[in-house]
Amino acid sequence: MSSSSTAAKQNTTSQNAATATATTTTTTTTRTRHRRMSSMSEFNDPFSNADIYYGPNTDPRKQKPQKANTSPTTPANAPSSSSSSAAHHKLNRTRTMSVFGKISDFKKGSLKEGYNLKRRGSEDDSYLAAQGNRRFFIEDVDKTLDDLLTNEDTDRNYQITIEDTGPKVIKVGTANSYGYKSVNVRGTYMLSNLLQELTIAKSFGRHQIFLDEARINENPVNRLSRLISNQFWNTLTRRLDLYSIGEIAMDTKIDAPGAKNPRIYVPYNCPEQYEFFIQASQMNPSLKLEVEYLPKDITPEYVKSLNGTPGLLALAMEEHVNPSTGEKSLIGFPYAVPGGRFNELYGWDSYMIALGLIESNKVDVAKGMVEHFIFEIEHYGKILNANRSYYLCRSQPPFLTDMTLAVFKKIGGVHNPNAVDLLKRSFAAAIKEYKTVWCHSPRLDPETGLSCYHPDGLGIPPETEPEHFDTILLPYTRKYNISLEEFRQKYNDGVIHEPQLDEFFLHDRGVRESGHDTTYRFEGVCAYLATIDLNALLYKYECDIADVIEQFFDNKYTDPNDGSVTDAAHWRKLAEKRKQTINEKMWDNESGFYFDYNVKAKQRTSYESATTFWALWAGLATKEQAKIMIEKALPKLEMLGGLVACTERSRGPISINRPIRQWDYPFGWAPHQILAWKGLSDYGYSDVATRLSYRWLYMMTKAFVDYNGIVVEKYDVTRGTDPHRVEAEYGNQGADFKGVATEGFGWVNASYLLGSKYMNSHARRALGACIPPMPFFQSLKSDEKKLYGL
């Protein structure tokens, strides 16, 4: 379908729906129109069906009675018993969670000296709020949107936040009077939600809308959870097909003549895919899609030769048959990307995202990503950093076995033959990856048996910004008296040999393979570090493989790649050996940390990282070690908003010549939180996991409320007011939207859903009111404090 015909179809649908909205005079439910959206759509139409974007109907007359005794996990805004239903809705009050008495520290520097601006972020009109759920009629969407931005968006970033200095109130018409009478909508949270509703309405061509107050006054915990499950995952989902290939294959990271046209590389033994993509290029010649085969043997030299003509790498596809014509066609399995600016399937991001997708019952996307990883191992030799040509030498932290088990259980487990088939194929791929990638040169240290992030590769990584390595390369330009561009070319072509520079890029590629790019923990040494995170993951691989071989391969696995025959005992022996080595080389009883081990220097490092808790997630620590970790290591890493990536002492001082790194203090990352929660719970410390998850969810909810629904890639877990504001390389993905956030960020979305599982109804109410961790913990009764490890 061409872009012009799609636009025409959307305009027609929007006009029809707008007409239906404008002529509706009662609250009677009318026939809804469901639009067929592509996997690249920004958002679904919330006005076509209230359940799509906002969840259940908010009209109290349509609420079903519930039993008086609700479960502890019942949402805070769920209706109570029928006898108290009316009272419940009359007590629906305007939300007042935003900052009181101060504004973001970021803004204070720009204020005139002596003028201390203090605003209340939200206002509570108790009399009007007590009247129950009101309904608004927006007679002119464009005018209301313009008025709202003009009066409230004082910093002109198309968001309404606590940093805007407008009056924090706008008049909107009531539905009963068809806009003749008006009421006030007040406060940052409600105004920002109104901005989001109007932005979405405008995007669908709506000129007039009816809007329930409950939609802009919704409990933020419920709202964010629903947006993640019903909206964000859809926006982040991709699928290679005839219509999306051009957009997905386009690469904006590479500025080279050969990168101007979209290109896709197909494995040498996938002729069906090659023909399929040739068909796609012929169907739409204006795309200028280029389709090329990869050779059977993919070497670092070959990968470097593609730097000038980068391309997308093909993923797994399945055959579909049109039942009416019998025509066969290929279509890619769906997958989710980390953020809206990405189109590639990423390595360890996908594991974290899959956990969130499963929580949202979107198992088809999680299953699709498992299929893609099987395909990557089979055809590219490894799970790739991402499916672009310049990543062919580089992997990422291995999570395939646990990812497969999670999907396997969700789709029926042993009772579903298709699930068993997926499990067997995936574990066969994982065994190949284990042997040929992680336990093979150059990543394996033969002396200890431990593994390192040590990818192959030649030259300067092409996907970085052109000036990214200028400070490293400048001394060499002076040495050879040539320009930066000339030096880059000569060094990449092997004309200039600089062993010291080779060493630098070896470790740089290792940092990128580790997923922790960048951190002072790995700078200049990564390829020589047997990290606790990687070796904990491989221990988990060995344990998982042993269990699956025993249960699903009749305790006898014949490897089709090398002909070896192994049983569960073999893999458990490997796991036990790795466990002993890790505890011998990496465990420090005095500090309670697992440290990395430098296989070249043959000594343990002292960098205190949150990845120490990966040992708990993998199950390789003893109960005594877990206790020591919680007593000694945890206090150094636990901050206002959860776990920090590393301690401030380990990171060291920051200066102009030593800038801050994004995987260091004071930043916190979703994967560190997710794995720590699970590991702590597995060792009987669910109370500690609950406390840490409250901290993380509070920080996310607070930013969501105060900053126009923002969900970002990482947070400063030491900041109470604006934790999303990160001043480090690469900035912060997910913050650059206008009007309404449509995708959040993959593993952060997942962390919110997973962390919410630790919250009881009391904690959810506290999060909904944005009560900071310490006041909340201090307000608990003595027996309640035990639930949080206090």
Side-chain angles (χ1 to χ4, degrees), residues 400-608:
L400 181 57
T401 60
D402 197 72
M403 182 179 180
T404 302
L405 289 169
V407 172
F408 171 74
K409 293 173 185 175
K410 187 67 176 180
I411 61 177
V414 295
H415 304 292
N416 181 357
N418 292 329
V420 174
D421 174 69
L422 177 70
L423 183 76
K424 288 184 173 183
R425 290 188 292 111
S426 181
F427 270 74
I431 291 170
K432 177 182 177 181
E433 177 198 25
Y434 174 91
K435 290 182 177 181
T436 62
V437 178
W438 301 113
C439 293
H440 190 276
S441 177
R443 293 174 178 85
L444 176 68
D445 175 49
E447 183 175 330
T448 62
L450 299 175
S451 299
C452 307
Y453 293 114
H454 192 132
D456 291 320
L458 297 171
I460 303 170
E463 78 276 11
T464 56
E465 299 82 357
E467 67 279 0
H468 186 79
F469 296 111
D470 282 2
T471 54
I472 303 295
L473 301 179
L474 276 172
Y476 295 97
T477 65
R478 291 191 287 267
K479 176 180 177 180
Y480 292 96
N481 195 28
I482 57 178
S483 68
L484 272 169
E485 186 58 38
E486 286 179 298
F487 180 80
R488 288 193 196 98
Q489 183 176 349
K490 289 180 180 295
Y491 175 72
N492 283 335
D493 291 344
V495 176
I496 291 177
H497 297 278
E498 285 292 341
Q500 191 173 354
L501 202 54
D502 294 343
E503 179 95 351
F504 170 82
F505 284 116
L506 165 65
H507 297 305
D508 180 80
R509 285 188 292 270
V511 171
R512 298 172 191 280
E513 183 171 77
S514 77
H516 292 73
D517 48 333
T518 58
T519 166
Y520 286 114
R521 173 188 172 202
F522 290 157
E523 192 160 287
V525 73
C526 185
Y528 301 147
L529 291 183
T531 67
I532 179 56
D533 31 295
L534 174 57
N535 286 280
L537 296 181
L538 294 176
Y539 172 81
K540 182 70 160 56
Y541 256 45
E542 290 157 348
C543 294
D544 290 345
I545 291 170
D547 293 341
V548 169
I549 286 178
E550 185 172 56
Q551 185 174 358
F552 295 97
F553 289 92
D554 296 325
N555 203 23
K556 181 181 178 182
Y557 177 74
T558 303
D559 193 326
N561 299 297
D562 60 16
S564 64
V565 179
T566 56
D567 58 10
H570 169 80
W571 289 94
R572 292 192 177 112
K573 184 178 179 180
L574 292 174
E576 186 59 30
K577 182 180 179 181
R578 187 180 299 273
K579 177 180 177 179
Q580 290 176 357
T581 306
I582 289 173
N583 283 320
E584 175 190 341
K585 303 289 187 183
M586 301 183 181
W587 172 248
D588 181 58
N589 207 63
E590 293 301 315
S591 65
F593 276 89
Y594 278 97
F595 292 117
D596 303 326
Y597 180 78
N598 189 315
V599 298
K600 187 174 184 180
K602 299 183 180 180
Q603 64 182 16
R604 182 190 303 157
T605 69
S606 60
Y607 208 96
E608 297 167 334

Side-chain angles (χ1 to χ4, degrees), residues 149-162:
L149 289 170
T150 300
N151 296 328
E152 300 294 347
D153 179 27
T154 57
D155 57 8
R156 301 294 179 253
N157 66 347
Y158 297 93
Q159 299 174 20
I160 297 176
T161 73
I162 58 171

